[in-house]
Amino acid sequence: MESLNANLLHPRQRVGENIQRWREADGGEALRLAAQDPAAVLTAVQDADLRGLGGSGFPVWRKWQAVANEAPRPDKYLVCNGNEDEPGTFKDRLLLEETPHQVIEGALLAALATGINRVVFYVNPDLTRSLAALQAALAQWQGSDMLQQAGDVLGRPITMALVPGSGHYIGGEETAALEWIEGKFPFPRGKPPYPAQFGIYGCPTLINNIETLANIPAIVRRGADWFRNLGLGQATGSKLYSLSGDVLHPGVYELPMGTTLHDLVFTHGGGLLSGKPLKAVFTGGPSNTLLAPEDLDVGLDFDSLRERGASLGTGAMIVVSEGTGIVRQVAEYMRFFAHSSCGQCVSCKTGTATLSRLIDRIDTGRGTAADLATIENLCRMLPGSGRCHLVNGVAQLVESSFRHFRHEYQQALK
Amino acid sequence: MKRGLSLQDALAAYRPDAELAPPPKQIDPDALLNAYHPDHLRDGMATLAVGPNAGAQCPRELADLLQAEAYIDEVDLAGAEVTDTDVLVIGGGGAGCAAALAAAEHGAHVLLATKLRLGDSNTVMAEGGLQAAIEPDDSVQQHLQDTLRAGHHAGDPALVAALVGDGPEVIRWLIRQGMQFDQTASGDLHTRRAGGISAPRIVHCRDYTGLEMMRVLREAVIQHRGIEVWSQAPAVELLSNESGRKCVGAVLGSLDGQKLRIVRARSVILATGGIGRLHLHGFPTSNHLGATGDGLVLAYRIGARLCELDSFQYHPTGLVNPPYLSGKLVTEGIRAAGALLLNAEGRRFIDELQPRDVVSAAIIRECREGRGIHPDTGGVGVWLDTARLERSQPGLIEQQFPKLLARSRIAGIDPRRNPVLVYPTLHYQNGGAVIDANGATTVAGLYAAGEVAGGIHGRNRIMGNALLEIISFGRRAGFAAALAGHDRGPKKITLEHVNQARRALTLAGMPLTRHAPQMLPAYTAPGKEIWKA
Amino acid sequence: MTEDAGSESVVDLLINGVQVRAEPHMTIVEAAWAGGVPRVTGVGCLEGVCGSCRILLRRGPAVSVALACETFAEHGIEVLFLPAPAAARHQYELTDFKDGWDIQARFQEIFPEAARCRHCHGCVQSCPKGIAVEEGIALAAAGRFREAGEAFFECVMCELCDSACPEQIAPAHVGLFSRRITAFFHLRPPNLIHRLEELRQEPFSASDKKETP
């Protein structure tokens, strides 16, 4: 299984905050290459077709380009988004804990490629081990030659700060993170303007996911072609899949982008518990659509899943066997999302609260046919009505569960 | 009806500063009532053929329900979930909540079942206030006399004495539940006059008295650990013992798809409110959606005697336009504050503070004789001159009548600038189930409180006695129900009274095609049944 | 109305997923009846004081909440009648308060969330009566219960603000508590008290005072 944990999670990389061992694993090499040709970093990322691995799947180079095109006002910011709070996603915390220097180097490369002088690491406050490792790692960079040299290449000093998040799920939304970093409650902002034009304190701001940034050093060091060849089919690079649910071996698996669902679950995940048949998979985390057993052959990459009407999201795959009820699962996720709605959009707050109540009613044997109709009406009415995508994800989750498992809801009615 | 002026023409002719002559003296109020009051519309009436009030006159719409079939048979109760409780209160308005709280105060386990949501009621819409004789130059005795006189001396003096005697204590009880009332600068409760009342006696909370009362009582009920509330649970039928002559509980249906449920209780209190949604004689109504006389039907079927079945109050000032507000109330308090009634000729035609039946009859006369005002959207009415009132007391409407202002604003009307079109609206059931001073009906185990009960208001209620009644008699019924003795031996629950009613209907040759209680009015496009679960 | 709106006398809208044809002057409740929409039982007073007819309303991309009896039919909108509010979560009985001096302390125990308002304005946006809900909560949290209660004077307890609050403050119930505690402790009207005292000393008896008609 040479394809498993071959890149970011290669044993050589998993050295924690030990900067010496990181250097022995070619740590810092990418920065030295970038110092000679900073523009090549963006080109490499573009050729590698690296996508946003925090859920968007958006081409990373385009986001970088937008920020690179902006002048500092007077600064430019990079937010390294480690707020990871999505149920079933636990890859960023692993990267921070086990390869923080790889992440830091990636962040500095992004800064050089886009003209950013202020780097902010934004991490979920409950991830105590990750925070500790990152803090220790950052301390080793402060006042170091590497950081000094990076600043020289940029033409001004680069600062790095660690900001623990608020603990609110909504703080993972890009513009909500900006609000928190500015010292306010993490309410998502209305867009436009976009962070690239108007971010932290009005400065151009780039937000990238931890896993996305961790990939940059290897791309610069080993080249776009190497990165492309890691993936299967049209997909490029490797992906950290967070596998959980009713499988024998839940955990984080770094595999070629485009690995099939079947391989992830059965070859690597050890198959379903007690040999029960597969029932469904919450793909990309629960605020997305479900996959059913007939989708076991799908390649887990952004494009293949979109063709299947689903989404890769963060790469979380929550596996449900025949021993688990869908209504209960959806009720649990709905409770989480209803609680997480920040409140500034009445449609989202009231909509998710109502969906949660009704699904909970059905789950506890108090639901009626009228409740089913109300749920379906809400799924149709709510999307697009909020400032961020929380309400859309919720509608997708519920609507998808209805499409595949309406009979389960029906059976639970009183 | 002779046609009067169009609304546009009447507005064009209106002058808020015109000199107004006083209204002509009303020499013979009884003649006015006989000629114009809807209670005297003979062809809308039917004679009851069965039951304790056989031979009595009552509006056709109500007679059809009182003499209708029950919804269920004994076989429908098979497998129904059974709940035991001490006191079952049917109805979640002011009387129901007061009864539940009183019963619970005495340690009874209370189940309050309401067919809509707790607080959905006529109480919440009440505006004007409650009567209590608290001013120095007023007395409880005067309150008693005003009530009996306005009711044309048809009221039961013992019940009225109980009502008026309770007045001040009821206010204190309400304040202790957390209800606010308007005060003067000296801290006294502000009191107002009203039609047929000899002294200022109405205490109120601006024109939102019912809302203030209902939200407080609802919260008190919800918070009370001894009261359980079932919503969306209409009473489908009462339950009787094997002789069919004692009430031992009720069968509750569901408006959200649940099965029938049985409740066995030591005492049952009917607090189901009024009948406005029956639209007697085709009148619009001020009542809430659920006012379909369910309690009257259930009481009659189990053999309770009713009274004053041919007497209903038409409140003089119901809104006429826009259509969605048709029949909705404008409080008498605004006439007490000085607002006048003008016909299409711009003239006063009645002393505005006469009792309601007289004022309503006068308005109907004006409209029928061609002095009414007709909006394009239908209906007819006279002016309630709120604009003149605002001119004489600027700011009064906003300060004292915020509910009128709020509703008008949404409707695109400004009562401070223009007079408001009004017409009598079916507002209140003067009679109802016969009760004693403890709220007990003529059927053992069955109590009644609030609008569904009768014998207090005679043939015409004065303002402020309804809100007083619901608390006064709600509490009396609640206490009495809680203290009612247990039956000896095992309790049999049956629908024997339904069988007896069926027998009577069949022997009287009545059709058995209509079912009652109605529960909800049917306001839908033809052919579309909306109340099925 | 949009450019391609229905004619002046007819509008088409969706209520609870049912296609309805109505007239523009109709309220949503009337439109629902006209269209035969089944199972609409969340309707009460029809004049905006009972708070039962809560709806979610979509107009273009914007979704808001309102009361159906005070909202008019418009071409192309979509309406959903919301389920009745969830059960109240904050427990208290007025008689638990022994002393007007300890109201604020007890309030913090009963409604601890009220101190954690995050100023999202969801409550203000959802109130169909235009109440400054957020301000009212701030007043109550500051112990200014009389003023807080006055802010909530027009509250019909529709509890749309409760559904909209991410901190679970239950603003409508905070407002009602504020009103109730003010009456309970502060309303001592001399005219009422005087009459109560008179009646206590000489209870009313009507038996020997018959009215002559």
Side-chain angles (χ1 to χ4, degrees), chain A residues 272-304:
Chain A
L272 281 294
L273 281 176
S274 311
K276 287 205 166 65
L278 176 78
K279 186 177 197 176
V281 179
F282 291 89
T283 47
S287 57
N288 277 306
T289 46
L290 298 175
L291 287 177
E294 58 263 27
D295 297 312
L296 274 168
D297 65 326
V298 73
L300 298 177
D301 62 78
F302 292 106
D303 300 329
S304 304

Side-chain angles (χ1 to χ4, degrees), chain A residues 39-263:
Chain A
V41 176
L42 194 147
T43 313
V45 164
Q46 181 174 3
D47 291 341
D49 193 21
L50 176 66
R51 309 283 196 88
L53 299 173
S56 68
F58 193 75
V60 172
W61 73 268
R62 282 218 258 154
K63 228 179 174 186
W64 283 16
Q65 188 71 69
V67 177
N69 288 344
E70 297 285 329
R73 278 197 295 277
D75 298 309
K76 284 162 76 164
Y77 282 85
L78 166 65
V79 174
C80 311
N81 190 350
N83 195 63
E84 189 168 78
D85 204 355
E86 193 83 31
T89 302
F90 33 87
K91 59 177 174 75
D92 294 334
R93 67 198 67 186
L94 187 67
L95 287 170
L96 287 172
E97 198 182 328
E98 301 203 8
T99 77
H101 292 295
Q102 196 173 198
V103 177
I104 296 170
E105 188 177 11
L108 287 170
L109 288 164
L112 291 182
T114 54
I116 285 171
N117 63 312
R118 294 208 179 281
V119 176
V120 177
F121 290 88
Y122 173 67
V123 179
N124 185 325
D126 297 330
L127 304 174
T128 39
R129 289 201 306 270
S130 307
L131 275 167
L134 181 61
Q135 200 147 30
L138 280 171
Q140 295 167 57
W141 284 77
Q142 301 295 0
S144 69
D145 289 339
M146 286 185 298
L147 186 59
Q148 174 75 52
Q149 279 152 25
D152 291 341
V153 175
L154 185 67
R156 56 196 297 203
I158 299 178
T159 64
M160 298 202 291
L162 173 58
V163 175
S166 59
H168 288 285
Y169 166 79
I170 199 65
E173 199 274 347
E174 292 194 343
T175 57
L178 305 184
E179 290 287 295
W180 177 256
I181 292 167
E182 284 186 17
K184 299 179 282 191
F185 189 90
F187 288 121
R189 297 175 178 174
K191 298 172 273 277
Y194 290 89
Q197 283 77 43
F198 194 98
I200 295 176
Y201 302 127
C203 304
T205 303
L206 170 67
I207 303 123
N208 275 143
N209 171 259
I210 295 294
E211 187 188 353
T212 308
L213 292 167
N215 272 288
I216 313 296
I219 290 174
V220 170
R221 229 174 32 239
R222 301 175 72 167
D225 284 342
W226 162 84
F227 188 77
R228 297 189 78 95
N229 288 332
L230 287 181
L232 298 176
Q234 302 284 54
T236 69
S238 62
K239 179 77 188 89
L240 270 62
Y241 298 101
S242 306
L243 180 66
S244 64
D246 302 335
V247 293
L248 192 58
H249 299 301
V252 178
Y253 293 88
E254 185 186 19
L255 291 165
M257 182 74 92
T259 299
T260 64
L261 179 61
H262 183 279
D263 275 354

Side-chain angles (χ1 to χ4, degrees), chain C residues 10 13 111 122 154:
Chain C
V10 148
L13 59 153
F111 293 98
E154 301 241 7

Side-chain angles (χ1 to χ4, degrees), chain B residues 305-446:
Chain B
R305 195 149 41 84
L306 313 178
C307 67
E308 258 76 64
L309 282 175
D310 58 343
S311 176
F312 292 88
Q313 181 166 85
Y314 296 77
H315 192 292
T317 55
L319 291 168
V320 175
N321 63 321
Y324 78 91
L325 284 177
S326 164
K328 287 290 151 188
L329 194 66
V330 181
T331 177
E332 186 168 332
I334 205 166
R335 281 177 283 141
L340 305 174
L341 291 167
L342 306 178
N343 61 20
E345 295 168 359
R347 283 205 268 269
R348 291 176 70 190
F349 54 89
I350 187 75
D351 174 359
E352 287 79 3
L353 290 184
Q354 283 286 290
R356 288 174 178 181
D357 52 355
V358 173
V359 179
S360 288
I363 294 175
I364 292 171
R365 175 193 66 202
E366 295 301 297
C367 292
R368 224 183 269 154
E369 293 180 359
R371 295 184 292 277
I373 299 158
H374 302 257
D376 289 339
T377 43
V380 64
V382 297
W383 287 137
L384 175 65
D385 201 347
T386 49
R388 181 181 300 260
L389 180 67
E390 178 73 10
R391 272 173 72 96
S392 66
Q393 300 179 63
L396 178 79
I397 291 182
E398 184 169 354
Q399 281 157 30
Q400 289 286 303
F401 302 98
K403 182 180 172 188
L404 173 65
L405 206 55
R407 285 175 300 165
S408 306
R409 190 180 302 122
I410 292 169
I413 295 170
D414 191 346
R416 296 169 297 187
R417 247 193 228 102
N418 288 321
V420 163
L421 206 57
V422 294
Y423 191 77
T425 174
L426 178 57
H427 183 57
Y428 190 80
Q429 172 189 303
N430 292 320
V434 169
I435 54 168
D436 67 12
N438 288 320
T441 67
T442 56
V443 173
L446 185 65

Side-chain angles (χ1 to χ4, degrees), chain C residues 13-89:
Chain C
L13 59 153
L14 218 56
I15 300 179
N16 286 4
V18 175
Q19 196 65 237
V20 166
R21 174 152 283 191
E23 289 155 53
H25 62 80
M26 285 184 175
T27 63
I28 299 297
V29 175
E30 294 180 304
W33 286 337
V37 178
R39 283 191 305 261
V40 177
T41 57
V43 172
C45 72
L46 301 168
E47 60 172 7
V49 295
C50 73
S52 288
C53 57
R54 302 130 43 88
I55 54 172
L56 193 81
L57 187 145
R58 181 156 193 148
R59 197 184 270 119
V63 170
S64 54
V65 292
L67 294 178
C69 69
E70 295 187 322
T71 307
F72 297 95
E74 272 175 57
H75 192 73
I77 61 173
E78 185 171 353
V79 172
L80 178 67
F81 277 82
L82 291 170
R89 279 170 297 102

Side-chain angles (χ1 to χ4, degrees), chain A residues 10-61:
Chain A
H10 191 284
R12 279 181 74 212
Q13 299 293 342
R14 296 166 89 149
V15 300
E17 63 257 36
N18 189 320
I19 202 166
Q20 189 48 45
R21 292 180 57 201
W22 168 70
R23 273 196 232 272
E24 286 162 16
D26 300 324
E29 178 62 24
L31 268 176
R32 274 192 290 278
L33 290 169
Q36 293 154 20
D37 188 1
V41 176
L42 194 147
T43 313
V45 164
Q46 181 174 3
D47 291 341
D49 193 21
L50 176 66
R51 309 283 196 88
L53 299 173
S56 68
F58 193 75
V60 172
W61 73 268

